Amino acid sequence: MRQELMSLPKGLAEDVSRNLVMVAQLIDEDPEKAYEYSRVALRLASRVAAVREAAGFAAYATQKYSEALAEFRAARRMSGGVELWPVMADCERGLNRPERALAMAGEPETQKLDKAGQVEMRLVAAGARRDLGQLDAAIVTLQSPELASSAVHPWTARLRYAYADALLAAGREREAREWFAKALEADKDGATDASDRLAEMDGVEFVDAFDEDEVDEDSDRGDVVDVDVDVDGDDDEDDDFDEDDSDDSVGDKS
């Protein structure tokens, strides 16, 4: 990307770079804001492949699949690479065209992908099968040497998770639990919610430490209750004291 930006005038390159940095920083936490920055970069340098790619991912993150697909196609024409092939196929799924996604999985471009790209393509193809209601075919699609391998790669947790989810959808609960556990074992970065799925299957429920409704009710009644105590058997005001309400906090989502 840096080499592409170097072809731009210095000031323009700096402006584009700043916007692309913001896209990268915000795309997970605030995709709408990331999308806004991507549009600025696109207006400034639409002939730079890295800008078109960033704009594509920002549109994809906000589920603007038609726009994302157009940007990915433009970036691919400029760069000549195939690494965007899986996400382009997933855009077809987002546009309710799973058949096109499956057709792309069978194109020669898939064979040119690196191992990570081929796994992504397999995940997209399995998803397309599920879109079509073909659960058994989705399960078979995910069965591969990468799934069977005990080695852990950046994509291992997601592959195992997708397999477990497909098994569960097909009613194969025992196998699904086994693969959710394997996904959790490989998920060092929290890329999936495998732990939650396992807990759900085991009937484990998580409860908030504080029940906000009860706390609100207590605050409505007041924080302090005045209690008059007649210690000496008379009504001397000096003998009165304030007793703290013991209901101020309630100890009880995953």
Side-chain angles (χ1 to χ4, degrees):
M1 181 183 73
R2 181 170 298 181
Q3 186 174 1
E4 290 182 282
L5 294 179
M6 286 177 62
S7 63
L8 301 173
K10 183 178 179 181
L12 178 59
E14 291 175 351
D15 287 343
V16 173
S17 180
R18 278 194 294 268
N19 281 281
L20 293 183
V21 168
M22 294 306 297
V23 172
Q25 290 180 348
L26 294 170
I27 196 164
D28 292 326
E29 297 179 2
D30 191 346
E32 291 290 347
K33 196 67 177 179
Y35 176 77
E36 293 176 13
Y37 279 106
S38 76
R39 301 308 295 176
V40 174
L42 196 58
R43 288 197 297 270
L44 293 173
S46 63
R47 296 185 179 182
V48 175
V51 171
R52 303 302 290 265
E53 181 176 331
F57 277 110
Y60 179 81
T62 53
Q63 299 183 8
K64 298 177 176 66
Y65 297 116
S66 181
E67 186 177 323
L69 185 56
E71 297 300 340
F72 289 141
R73 284 172 174 168
R76 183 169 176 268
R77 284 196 301 270
M78 293 175 183
S79 68
V82 296
E83 62 276 0
L84 295 173
W85 198 248
V87 71
M88 290 169 63
D90 206 38
C91 285
E92 296 287 5
R93 286 187 62 213
L95 292 168
N96 296 316
R97 300 191 298 234
E99 297 90 348
R100 294 193 185 185
L102 287 173
M104 291 180 68
E107 294 291 334
E109 283 81 357
T110 298
Q111 302 305 316
K112 299 176 184 178
L113 294 167
D114 61 14
K115 182 62 67 178
Q118 290 179 9
V119 170
E120 288 296 328
M121 196 70 237
R122 190 177 292 276
L123 288 168
V124 172
R129 291 294 185 188
R130 293 190 62 172
D131 294 341
L132 294 168
Q134 301 171 1
L135 274 176
D136 290 340
I139 291 170
V140 171
T141 298
L142 293 167
Q143 291 171 345
S144 61
E146 293 81 17
L147 180 68
S149 174
S150 60
V152 175
H153 301 279
W155 37 260
T156 300
R158 291 175 55 242
L159 180 60
R160 292 177 179 178
Y161 182 94
Y163 188 59
D165 194 46
L167 288 169
L168 185 60
R172 296 161 62 175
E173 294 188 9
R174 183 185 59 79
E175 295 169 89
R177 194 196 182 286
E178 176 186 347
W179 281 97
F180 276 129
K182 290 182 177 181
L184 179 60
E185 183 181 282
D187 194 357
K188 307 303 181 184
D189 301 322
T192 73
D193 65 345
S195 60
D196 293 340
R197 300 296 296 275
L198 278 170
E200 182 181 351
M201 293 186 73
D202 291 341
V204 177
E205 295 184 5
F206 297 95
V207 182
D208 281 340
F210 288 93
D211 187 327
E212 295 182 0
D213 291 338
E214 291 188 33
V215 173
D216 288 343
E217 289 176 5
D218 289 343
S219 63
D220 289 341
R221 291 198 302 267
D223 294 331
V224 178
V225 177
D226 292 335
V227 180
D228 292 338
V229 179
D230 187 358
V231 177
D232 299 323
D234 57 29
D235 295 329
D236 190 348
E237 293 183 358
D238 292 336
D239 291 332
D240 293 346
F241 69 95
D242 293 336
E243 182 181 80
D244 291 337
D245 184 6
S246 61
D247 293 332
D248 280 348
S249 61
V250 179
D252 180 55
K253 176 165 163 207
S254 55

